[in-house]
Amino acid sequence: MDEDLPARIDPVAQLEGHEDRAWHVAWNPARPLLASCSADKNVRLYSYASAHNEEGPSPKFTHVTTIPTGHAKTVRAVAWSPSGKTLATASFDSNIGIWAQEGDDEGEEGAANTSGEWECMSLLEGHETECKSVAYSSSGNLLASCSRDKTVWIWEAHPDYDFECMGVLMEHSQDVKCVAWHPTEEILASASYDDTIKLYVDDPQEDWFCFQTLSGHASTVWTLAFSPDGRYLASGSDDCTIRIWERVQEHKWECVDVLEGHERSVYSISWNRGKPLDAGEAGSLGWLASTGGDGVIHVWEIGVGPDAQDSNKRKLKHRVIAKIAQAHDVHDVNCVVWCPRKGYEDLFATAGDDGLVKVWRVTAS
């Protein structure tokens, strides 16, 4: 691990409290709040205090509250709405909980209102078995969920936490592991145990439909992340690789790169804009973080540069800028997520089988 890399991954916080494996974390996009979920059926919320100066002290994390979700089984995933006012929980009990704070009047500058109790405003029922992933569209109008029942559901959010099912997509032949929305358009991607990725759009005349199947991974696809600019989609798999797919036409994506370096399944990836290192540019397409069964976290800089064979062509480039082994000691790392808030582009959180949530920062070495 003594490679000469341009950056390092420094620990910022270790958040204890879950009584079983920690599956997933989600950063609130509007307020300084981090949510985590676990096989202990609880969601834990942490607030963090800003550190404005460049190389200043890392933010300090404080446990705000624990939500006993009432889910009968593991809470596998959590997702915030773009407004940051609603939290969705996906559980192995097949249901999705929609949570909001009682009397949610945000304090000054969107400061976290810590007094209001978090309540379950709605329970979305429909999946037959374990719900694996849940995600809000960029507008916040749509929520997608997926399950071991091989289906992807799309729900429309109405006022007063009322959700209407807009479509049940039965394209996958196996367990669906992950759903992810395009950052600006209503394009949905799903990843499955059937080794494929499916892409969906809404037909104004008809319903939601699958417009493309992306094949190439040799095993289960666990995780998906769109690039911040929406032109690329990354996928992580049981085959230990990450594939990057480029949008070459409105409804056509193709594989343009394969990232290798993990020795076991890639369970989670996250893509953000990154921060410039050494006064240079951050990769023009940002930073991709990846982790999984080998307990290693990689941070890749992704960019576009001239093709060595043909200087008139542009080619996707990638390089590892930082990595850390045994991020959660000997345990699997289930999830890695970048903080989406301005000024925190170098901060990410992980969740592991050791029940811990850890926060990390990428700094120039």
Side-chain angles (χ1 to χ4, degrees):
M1 299 304 284
D2 299 319
E3 293 170 49
D4 196 12
L5 297 175
R8 63 176 195 270
I9 297 169
D10 291 333
V12 170
Q14 178 166 304
L15 308 175
E16 300 170 19
H18 281 302
E19 289 162 17
D20 204 334
R21 66 176 54 168
W23 274 116
H24 200 223
V25 289
W27 297 89
N28 187 303
R31 321 188 219 176
L33 274 180
L34 176 66
S36 64
C37 65
S38 159
D40 68 10
K41 312 181 190 69
N42 292 335
V43 168
R44 292 176 63 86
L45 293 183
Y46 299 89
S47 64
Y48 53 99
S50 308
H52 285 298
N53 46 341
E54 280 294 297
E55 294 300 319
S58 294
K60 189 171 184 310
F61 286 74
T62 313
H63 176 247
V64 178
T65 188
T66 298
I67 305 170
T69 63
H71 280 297
K73 294 181 180 171
T74 290
V75 181
R76 178 63 180 86
V78 277
W80 291 101
S81 63
S83 71
K85 294 193 172 193
T86 311
L87 180 72
T89 52
S91 169
F92 282 179
D93 68 7
S94 81
N95 297 329
I96 297 147
I98 304 294
W99 303 80
Q101 226 169 347
E102 212 177 24
D104 186 5
D105 299 319
E106 292 192 4
E108 287 180 23
E109 294 179 3
N113 158 22
T114 51
S115 53
E117 288 286 314
W118 286 85
E119 292 185 12
C120 187
M121 301 298 188
S122 193
L123 195 65
L124 310 187
E125 300 173 293
H127 282 297
E128 289 171 17
T129 54
E130 299 174 358
C131 196
K132 298 291 179 80
S133 171
V134 65
Y136 275 95
S137 65
S138 60
S139 66
N141 295 333
L142 298 169
L143 181 73
S145 60
C146 65
S147 162
R148 194 157 71 96
D149 65 13
K150 308 176 192 171
T151 67
V152 172
W153 288 53
I154 296 176
W155 312 80
E156 188 170 39
H158 296 296
D160 300 325
Y161 307 103
D162 186 26
F163 284 77
E164 177 190 357
C165 176
M166 304 303 287
V168 177
L169 303 163
M170 297 185 278
E171 296 288 333
H172 286 292
S173 61
Q174 298 287 341
D175 183 358
V176 190
K177 301 291 188 186
C178 177
V179 281
W181 289 98
H182 186 278
T184 53
E185 297 175 50
E186 289 187 345
I187 297 172
L188 179 68
S190 64
S192 167
Y193 188 67
D194 66 12
D195 309 350
T196 71
I197 300 150
K198 305 274 183 182
L199 297 170
Y200 313 88
V201 286
D202 187 13
D203 178 342
Q205 273 71 49
E206 297 285 330
D207 290 320
W208 283 82
F209 71 100
C210 174
F211 70 83
Q212 194 179 359
T213 300
L214 304 180
S215 303
H217 280 297
S219 191
T220 301
V221 187
W222 283 103
T223 176
L224 298 167
F226 281 95
S227 62
D229 69 3
R231 288 188 301 148
Y232 298 87
L233 171 67
S235 56
S237 166
D238 221 36
D239 66 12
C240 308
T241 70
I242 298 156
R243 283 180 173 256
I244 299 189
W245 313 80
E246 183 182 4
R247 187 181 194 174
V248 290
Q249 290 168 21
E250 188 182 1
H251 294 311
K252 187 176 179 211
W253 297 67
E254 57 187 42
C255 185
V256 289
D257 206 355
V258 180
L259 281 53
E260 296 177 332
H262 283 287
E263 290 174 11
R264 292 196 184 168
S265 302
V266 180
Y267 288 142
S268 181
I269 55 176
S270 182
W271 200 335
N272 82 338
R273 294 192 186 285
K275 274 192 173 176
L277 283 177
D278 338 317
E281 294 177 22
S284 54
L285 295 170
W287 291 352
L288 180 75
S290 61
T291 192
D294 59 8
V296 179
I297 302 165
H298 285 80
V299 177
W300 313 78
E301 183 183 79
I302 313 288
V304 176
D307 188 337
Q309 273 77 46
D310 180 352
S311 55
N312 295 323
K313 279 191 176 167
R314 310 281 286 159
K315 192 179 176 197
L316 203 71
K317 307 272 186 190
H318 68 262
R319 65 170 181 152
V320 173
I321 55 166
K323 72 189 221 181
I324 190 166
Q326 293 180 304
H328 284 252
D329 199 26
V330 298
H331 301 275
D332 285 11
V333 187
N334 296 316
C335 167
V336 59
V337 187
W338 290 106
C339 182
R341 296 179 67 237
K342 202 167 165 49
Y344 294 101
E345 294 87 352
D346 52 1
L347 210 64
F348 66 86
T350 55
D353 274 0
D354 53 5
L356 297 176
V357 171
K358 295 189 179 189
V359 182
W360 311 83
R361 190 178 199 175
V362 178
T363 40
S365 31

